[in-house]
Structures are given as C-alpha cells and as structure tokens.
Amino acid sequence: MKSKLWVISGVILMLLLLSACGQGAGTETSGSGEGTKTSSGAAANTKNTGQQQEGEDRIIQTEMGEITIPKSPQRVVGLSVVYPELLYALGIVPVAVQNYHDDFPKYLQEPFKNTMKMGIGKTPNFEAILEANPDLIIAPAWWSKKDYDQLSQIAPTVLLPEREEWPEELEDIAAVFGKETEAKQVLEDLKQHEKEGADKLHSLIGDETVLYVRVMEKEIVLNGPNLSRGAFVHKRLGLKPVSNFPKDETGLSISMEVLPEYDADHLIIQLDDEENSEIQKKYKDMMSTSIWKNLKAVKKNHVYLVGGKEWFNLGMAPLADNYVIDDIVAAFEEKNK
C-alpha cells in the first residue's frame, strides 16, 4: 500500500512540475465572455479577468473560490453516481465516473463503452483518476470537500453545492460548461415526454389504482406519492394511488401479510437488482403464496415487472426518468390493449 501511495505522490509531483513549466512558458491570455449563473444560485460563475485568450482557459467562481478551468474541457471526471447522466444529458461523455452497478444502465452502455468505472467509496479512487488523465474534475462538495486538495493537484476541480432536486444540479453543471441552453432544453423535453406518457397511461387504464412495489433483498417497500420515485409514478405520470396509502408517509416497509391492505388494480413491481439471486428468490417466494395469488392485480394479469439498474436513478436524473416513462408505457400497453 505504501508503494502505491509513493507512486501516486510521484505522479502528482510530476504533474505539478509540468503544470508550473507550462505556465512559465505560456502564452499571454486575454479575457472573454460574460458571467453566467444558474437560476438556483451558487454554482459556477464565469468571470471576465481581462487576462484570458479566446479558446484557452477561463476563471470561474466556485465553492472553493476562483479556479481556472479549460474553456472546452475534453477529459472530464464526474465523482457522483448521478453526474454521469447529467453530463451525458448535456452532450458530455466523461472519461471516468463513479458507478454503483457493475454495468452502466442500457441507455449509457454504448456512449460510455470507453468510460472508466471507478466504483464508489468513502474517498475518491485517486489512482484511477490519475490514470484517466482528466483536464477537469467535478464533484459534490458534501462528499469531496475533504479531498479537494488532492483532487485539485490532479486537475482543476469544481465542487458543486448540494441540491434538493436534480434539475438544480443539472443547471449547476451546465453553468460550468457554458451549456445553460442545453440544460433548459433537457428539462423542456422531459416535461413534454412526461405529458405524453401520462396521457397514454390515462387512455389505457383511466382512474384505476396503481401500487408501486420495490422488492429489495431485506424488505418489501411500497413507494407512495410523497417519495421521489412514487411521486414520479403517481404525480408526474398521473397513475392513481390506492386511497388508503398514508398521506404523511413517503414509503412503507411491509411484510407480505400486509400487502392485501393496499389491493390496487395494477401492480408495478421493481426488483431492486434483477441479477441478485436473493432478490429473485424473494420475488418467486412472494408469487407462490396464496396472499399474492388472491391480489386483484394478479388475478387480472395486471402485474408489471420492471427493474434494476435502469430504474436506479429514477427521480434523480433525466435519462433515468425518460427511460422509466417508456418502460412503464410499454408494460401497460402490452397488458391493456
């Protein structure tokens, strides 16, 4: 382990020396561009310094103060499991990202075929980041502030503020890359897609009730309208929840015996990881019970199996949301013609 740390330290030192030499022999730069700011406030503001040259670097204001970044970064590392989606939604393919599952979701597999997976952890994988040779790193401040000094020695690092909703995160990232127009279009396109999906679903089942059930390794969770996932299904796509779902609850962890109390006309069943053998077994065991077989939706063949990594970022990123809309509509069309 010590030898690896010496290697990493040596590479960082070399990068710093090369950077210093490059700055000493660099071209004089002159400023261009006006300040940009996201509607949510404190992301990255382009600053006219009067010392930059068109097409070279620019200075932005971040949570860690002013930093210089490339005007058009070519090798971006994203240190968050949702940043890969937000970057790609803006037309940026990162060279390395964090990932929760072994594989990227279907909608990222082709564009990310050459993107390095770094897994997740309490601290960034500095060795992998060095190997990726980034010219810009973006990371959430709440997770990466403690590692900022080490990250910024590898490449300019922009720490982004914690946000309540992903559209604000998208706008923060867009401000760093000067892609505010693209971010606005992403949001408008998704809103239109949601409307089309909601209209189609209403034409298929009208006001019949829907229960969204997430089967996990340790528990069964009912997602209600107040949770981000449940809100997407029930509020944004307009699928009617069961009337007795507790109004002040976001989700309910239940035993199988309780499921008949929320006997909906339709069941959306999400397997938390479709490749997990324990989850597969749990679902098969559920289906073998008399409780399951007597559910209204089961009797009418109105059970829709969805799942896994494609739904992992539902309610947290635009590509996942778009995928889920198509997934739900296709599942309901198949059984409600």
Side-chain angles (χ1 to χ4, degrees):
M1 183 64 184
K2 288 183 178 179
S3 61
K4 283 188 177 180
L5 291 173
W6 279 110
V7 170
I8 293 173
S9 300
V11 175
I12 290 174
L13 180 59
M14 185 180 297
L15 288 171
L16 287 170
L17 289 170
L18 289 172
S19 174
C21 292
Q23 289 175 5
T27 326
E28 184 177 337
T29 56
S30 60
S32 64
E34 294 184 357
T36 58
K37 187 174 182 179
T38 66
S39 59
S40 51
N45 303 325
T46 306
K47 183 175 180 180
N48 187 338
T49 64
Q51 297 178 340
Q52 287 183 295
Q53 191 172 54
E54 188 88 13
E56 295 290 334
D57 294 333
R58 61 193 181 108
I59 293 178
I60 62 173
Q61 181 67 38
T62 75
E63 295 219 331
M64 302 301 291
E66 289 184 351
I67 67 167
T68 301
I69 68 170
K71 186 173 182 181
S72 300
Q74 299 301 307
R75 300 184 62 80
V76 179
V77 166
L79 297 182
S80 164
V81 291
V82 297
Y83 284 4
E85 290 203 30
L86 299 178
L87 286 166
Y88 189 63
L90 296 171
I92 300 163
V93 178
V95 293
V97 295
Q98 288 191 301
N99 59 293
Y100 182 82
H101 296 98
D102 290 339
D103 296 316
F104 291 121
K106 293 175 184 176
Y107 49 81
L108 288 178
Q109 284 178 5
E110 177 58 28
F112 280 26
K113 60 187 177 184
N114 296 318
T115 297
M116 180 191 297
K117 304 184 188 82
M118 298 188 294
I120 56 174
K122 292 183 178 179
T123 59
N125 186 335
F126 298 110
E127 196 170 356
I129 296 171
L130 276 168
E131 184 181 340
N133 189 28
D135 56 10
L136 182 66
I137 299 169
I138 62 169
W142 65 266
W143 182 73
S144 297
K145 200 167 189 176
K146 67 186 188 318
D147 303 303
Y148 178 77
D149 289 343
Q150 289 164 280
L151 291 170
S152 59
Q153 288 179 46
I154 299 172
T157 299
V158 177
L159 298 187
L160 298 172
E162 185 174 4
R163 298 299 191 190
E164 289 293 327
E165 302 292 342
W166 70 257
E168 295 175 323
E169 289 187 287
L170 181 72
E171 290 168 348
D172 287 345
I173 293 174
V176 174
F177 294 92
K179 289 181 174 285
E180 292 88 346
T181 300
E182 288 88 339
K184 183 178 179 181
Q185 191 63 52
V186 168
L187 297 175
E188 289 177 355
D189 290 346
L190 177 58
K191 187 175 181 180
Q192 179 62 28
H193 196 190
E194 287 174 4
K195 183 181 184 306
E196 292 169 357
D199 290 345
K200 181 62 178 179
L201 290 167
H202 190 266
S203 72
L204 290 170
I205 67 168
D207 291 329
E208 294 177 3
T209 57
V210 175
L211 185 67
Y212 173 17
V213 182
R214 191 175 180 188
V215 181
M216 308 174 77
E217 191 170 336
K218 303 292 185 184
E219 59 184 344
I220 302 169
V221 177
L222 309 183
N223 289 282
N226 297 325
L227 187 68
S228 57
R229 292 173 175 273
F232 187 88
V233 168
H234 293 300
K235 293 181 178 178
R236 290 162 67 179
L237 292 183
L239 294 173
K240 185 177 179 180
V242 291
S243 60
N244 63 329
F245 195 95
K247 305 297 183 187
D248 57 346
E249 295 288 347
T250 57
L252 297 175
S253 178
I254 65 162
S255 64
M256 188 66 190
E257 291 72 23
V258 176
L259 193 54
E261 295 180 17
Y262 305 97
D263 197 12
D265 297 306
H266 302 265
L267 284 176
I268 295 175
I269 306 292
Q270 179 191 348
L271 301 188
D272 200 48
D273 183 346
E274 70 270 37
E275 297 173 1
N276 183 304
S277 59
E278 290 298 318
I279 293 176
Q280 288 282 359
K281 183 180 183 302
K282 189 179 187 73
Y283 182 53
K284 287 178 181 177
D285 290 344
M286 287 172 58
M287 292 191 296
S288 68
T289 64
S290 59
I291 292 174
W292 175 267
K293 293 173 182 177
N294 284 306
L295 292 173
K296 193 186 327 182
V298 175
K299 288 181 177 180
K300 293 181 179 180
N301 193 27
H302 285 166
V303 178
Y304 315 95
L305 188 62
V306 299
K309 57 184 177 292
E310 278 70 41
W311 281 53
F312 184 71
N313 282 336
L314 172 60
M316 296 188 291
L319 303 184
D321 288 3
N322 274 304
Y323 181 92
V324 167
I325 294 169
D326 291 337
D327 205 20
I328 290 179
V329 168
F332 275 74
E333 279 183 322
E334 184 180 352
K335 296 188 177 182
N336 296 277
K337 294 179 180 177

